[in-house]
Amino acid sequence: MAKHKGRAWHGRLLAAALGVTALAAATSVWTAQADSTGERAPQARASAPAIRPVAVDIAHASDQGARGVNITIDDGPDPVWTPQVLQLLREHGVKATFCMVGTQARAYPGLVKAVVADGHRLCDHTISHDTAMDTKSESYQSQQILDAERMITEASGGVRPQYYRAPGGAFTPYSRQLAASRGMRPLGWNVDTKDFEQPGVDAMVATVQREIADGPTVLFHDAGGDRSQTVAALREILPWLKEQGYAFGFPVR
């Protein structure tokens, strides 16, 4: 899986995540102190539903079978592009999986709730979109995944992400195991539209038409820059897939 996303976008997200790391560290200290003094955990934590672990291998298949297609949307939510993507999906009756960056979810909780309200699924895409995560320590990977999980869940009003997609595909055995233990299936892709590089609408449509037979999970983005080409490409791709007899679904869990 190519690590193809822009460095400037990563830098901005990493800077935003620094304050989150400090907050998470302080929270960890508070929790450790509370446990050591024998204080009871807050009732909300005690009453939370149990998390069921899922498979650790990277999912590509669709729950709609051999003729299924999984539309996946990365890096948002974004106040300009996410509403446009949601409108298109609504017009075509398509459900998608939104792989959200934690800091973006925290900044735009209304959009996270809109995604959930439309019946789409959530995916953890870390807090700073570090495509070199596979070279970092396990503690760093844990912080990136778990902080994003918390931010997305809080922003959604309590709906947890069901998948974890490593930035640029930078999975490790540890990150996959951690995500799976939290009920988030590691999520890959089969068709990379390369919309992040803005190759042109025709090129993106042609990529999907050429490669969809190789696997069902298609990668798009709704943040990180001008996504007008993505919106225009989706406007052509969604009806074309329907005409070819594909059914839209979610990645297997």
Side-chain angles (χ1 to χ4, degrees):
M1 297 179 183
K3 299 181 181 180
H4 52 74
K5 301 185 181 180
R7 293 181 182 273
W9 173 240
H10 304 159
R12 291 194 297 271
L13 287 171
L14 185 58
L18 291 177
V20 175
T21 304
L23 177 60
T27 301
S28 298
V29 171
W30 180 89
T31 302
Q33 291 173 341
D35 291 343
S36 67
T37 58
E39 293 183 14
R40 296 181 61 184
Q43 185 61 33
R45 182 180 298 176
S47 62
I51 295 173
R52 295 184 179 181
V54 293
V56 301
D57 55 308
I58 299 173
H60 293 90
S62 173
D63 63 5
Q64 294 298 304
R67 296 294 290 178
V69 172
N70 306 321
I71 300 297
T72 63
I73 315 289
D74 283 20
D75 293 1
D78 179 272
V80 174
W81 305 110
T82 303
Q84 295 184 48
V85 171
L86 284 174
Q87 180 61 33
L88 267 178
L89 295 173
R90 196 176 300 122
E91 290 172 2
H92 292 280
V94 174
K95 304 303 180 186
T97 300
F98 283 77
C99 300
M100 296 185 174
V101 172
T103 49
Q104 293 292 109
R106 184 180 63 177
Y108 305 108
L111 290 176
V112 182
K113 291 180 176 67
V115 167
V116 172
D118 277 4
H120 306 295
R121 288 186 181 177
L122 302 176
C123 171
D124 180 332
H125 204 34
T126 75
I127 59 170
S128 63
H129 202 285
D130 184 354
T131 58
M133 269 187 63
D134 53 348
T135 68
K136 306 295 178 61
S137 68
E138 290 183 354
S139 62
Y140 177 85
Q141 295 176 54
S142 176
Q143 175 254 327
Q144 286 283 316
I145 295 168
L146 298 183
D147 280 1
E149 178 193 12
R150 174 178 53 80
M151 290 180 191
I152 294 167
T153 302
E154 290 176 355
S156 72
V159 179
R160 300 184 62 259
Q162 298 189 38
Y163 307 93
Y164 164 65
R165 174 173 274 167
F171 289 100
T172 66
Y174 174 79
S175 67
R176 290 191 293 110
Q177 181 63 52
L178 175 62
S181 74
R182 299 289 302 170
M184 298 183 291
R185 179 73 182 267
L187 177 60
W189 64 81
N190 305 101
V191 182
D192 183 356
T193 63
K194 299 189 184 300
D195 61 339
F196 207 89
E197 300 173 7
Q198 299 183 356
V201 174
D202 290 345
M204 292 164 59
V205 172
T207 296
V208 174
Q209 293 176 339
R210 181 177 63 251
E211 298 181 12
I212 192 62
D214 298 334
T217 303
V218 188
L219 173 62
F220 296 95
H221 298 83
D222 63 344
D226 184 345
R227 301 274 73 87
S228 57
Q229 290 185 10
T230 300
V231 173
L234 278 168
R235 189 172 289 114
E236 295 186 32
I237 289 167
L238 297 179
W240 180 85
L241 287 168
K242 285 187 175 181
E243 290 169 1
Q244 304 306 306
Y246 287 99
F248 295 95
F250 295 111
V252 296
R253 297 188 72 244

